[in-house]
Amino acid sequence: MNELIAVIAGDGIGPEVVEQTTRILDVVHPGFTYEHHGLGAEHWLATGEVLNDETLEQLKLADAILLGAVGAAPGSTAIPSGLLERGLLLKLRFAFDHAVNLRPSKLYPGIPTPLSDSVVAGKDIDFVVVREGTEGLYCGNGGSVRTNTPQEIATEVSINTAHGVERVVRYAFELARTRRKLLTLVHKHNVLVNAGGLWRRIVAEIGEQYDDIETNYLHIDAATIKLVTQPDQFDVIVTDNLFGDILTDEAAAVTGGIGLAASANLNVDGTFPSMFEPVHGSAPDIAGQGKADPRAAILSGAMMLDHLGYGPDADKVRKAVEEDIASSLGATRSTKEIGDAILGGLV
């Protein structure tokens, strides 16, 4: 099948890492058609538009979206804070109902980590965070009154629906079945009694249908501690939008940094295209210098292959990346040299 892949290379190092990703995809799975969309900081500066309705309609026609990175240069005041995040990334997530934000975290042998030797020695650290993607505090339900006065009141309301929680929890249980059959709910139900109670009840109800899956619960504060003291104890973590955002960045740090962190924003029922992107930003300070590590983007491409039903091809990409990591520890290489090495591992 000749799938259409919408490519948003974006800003900074985005085009560089996307270029290496499409090179790998073209070798492991020839036949993708790429449609490029010039969105991001540079597009906004040139046009005053972040994502217009016409482009959104074009993106709907794609089978998947591959995104590099978007963002302005550090210290830039030309682009208002949150403009690209809300106007592009979150707009796509909400418009295309990306219910699941999926972020795997794996500590590869030899990769530096801030964790102590006693924590990582002999441990298999390989887990995934299933983060709810369309609700919670990111809905934009809130406001401000008496703004810029000593009596200012600002609110952000966390939205949690049974429908939204149920579908992400069910996805997490299904994923756990393909892994080590361990699911951990992370929330704060002792304080956030309404939202937390909803999450805990639905996990318990759905868990009755998955008696082969071990389930447990951690408050968010306890989870952040365990993530740096016993990360090997996690398999599948399911949590809400805000807690997931925090935990996934911590997870990336303990497994060697965001340079190897891939992610997927999934439309679970297939009505809209899902989006795949590295976790890292646009890194404008090294843009155009060939210094960017493309492996997070390449691993995101592997997640896209999985989603489109090409699991064996995805496994080939992951295997080639793992072999490259093992054979290149401590080496300084250009973006293209990394891409060449991974391509060599596919032959």
Side-chain angles (χ1 to χ4, degrees):
M1 186 174 179
N2 187 13
E3 287 93 348
L4 175 65
I5 308 300
V7 178
I8 304 173
D11 307 303
I13 63 172
E16 299 171 59
V17 300
V18 164
E19 179 184 10
Q20 299 308 313
T21 302
T22 54
R23 288 178 68 206
I24 273 77
L25 290 174
D26 284 340
V27 169
V28 75
H29 187 81
F32 285 144
T33 297
Y34 302 106
E35 182 178 78
H36 293 266
H37 298 268
L39 303 174
E42 294 302 320
H43 176 74
W44 183 81
L45 289 169
T47 66
E49 291 183 336
V50 179
L51 174 61
N52 62 35
D53 292 341
E54 181 181 354
T55 303
L56 189 65
E57 290 300 315
Q58 292 173 355
L59 290 169
K60 282 182 183 179
L61 302 177
D63 293 289
I65 301 169
L66 181 64
L67 188 143
V70 295
S76 172
T77 59
I79 299 179
S81 174
L83 179 75
L84 297 175
E85 291 81 0
R86 283 211 166 272
L88 179 57
L89 301 179
L90 290 184
K91 184 174 181 177
L92 286 171
R93 289 181 191 176
F94 286 108
F96 293 162
D97 198 22
H98 290 159
V100 171
N101 178 263
L102 191 65
R103 295 196 188 183
S105 292
K106 180 174 182 177
L107 181 60
Y108 297 96
I111 292 294
T113 170
L115 300 181
S116 68
D117 291 342
S118 62
V119 170
V120 301
K123 305 293 178 58
D124 182 17
I125 300 171
D126 183 355
F127 61 91
V128 62
V129 178
V130 180
R131 166 189 170 191
E132 199 288 318
T134 63
E135 298 186 349
L137 282 164
Y138 288 48
C139 285
N141 188 336
S144 175
V145 297
R146 301 172 185 165
T147 309
N148 294 324
T149 74
Q151 293 79 37
E152 181 172 352
I153 302 171
T155 63
E156 298 288 348
V157 180
S158 180
I159 303 298
N160 300 264
T161 68
H163 167 72
V165 175
E166 190 274 339
R167 61 182 178 175
V168 72
V169 167
R170 189 171 297 279
Y171 181 93
F173 271 106
E174 289 290 333
L175 181 61
R177 258 189 182 159
T178 69
R179 295 173 56 88
R180 290 190 284 120
K181 295 183 170 58
L182 172 62
L183 182 142
T184 302
L185 168 63
V186 173
H187 212 283
K188 190 71 174 176
H189 69 74
N190 60 334
V191 176
L192 307 176
V193 294
N194 298 309
L198 175 65
W199 276 85
R200 200 174 190 194
R201 186 181 74 246
I202 288 179
V203 167
E205 291 172 352
I206 294 178
E208 292 178 357
Q209 304 167 31
Y210 294 83
D211 55 7
D212 55 326
I213 307 298
E214 178 186 349
T215 62
N216 56 40
Y217 172 85
L218 283 173
H219 291 323
I220 178 62
D221 41 358
T224 59
I225 294 171
K226 192 169 184 178
L227 207 58
V228 297
T229 57
Q230 295 178 289
D232 59 302
Q233 299 301 301
F234 291 111
D235 180 29
V236 175
I237 298 171
V238 64
T239 189
D240 78 352
N241 212 335
L242 177 62
F243 294 151
D245 195 0
I246 296 167
L247 283 179
T248 49
D249 282 351
E250 184 187 14
V254 302
T255 52
I258 58 175
L260 292 172
S263 77
N265 297 284
L266 301 178
N267 176 273
V268 294
D269 59 13
T271 53
F272 296 106
S274 296
M275 182 167 67
F276 304 84
E277 58 177 314
V279 175
H280 62 68
S282 60
D285 54 320
I286 61 169
Q289 301 175 40
K291 295 180 178 180
D293 187 339
R295 289 177 293 190
I298 292 167
L299 289 169
S300 299
M303 295 180 76
M304 184 178 77
L305 288 168
D306 271 328
H307 178 72
L308 293 174
Y310 305 116
D313 293 333
D315 290 339
K316 290 178 184 177
V317 174
R318 281 189 285 266
K319 183 174 183 291
V321 170
E322 290 190 28
E323 290 175 349
D324 175 67
I325 291 170
S327 64
S328 63
L329 294 173
T332 299
R333 300 175 297 164
S334 71
T335 307
K336 185 176 184 301
E337 285 172 338
I338 296 173
D340 289 343
I342 294 171
L343 279 173
L346 292 172
V347 177

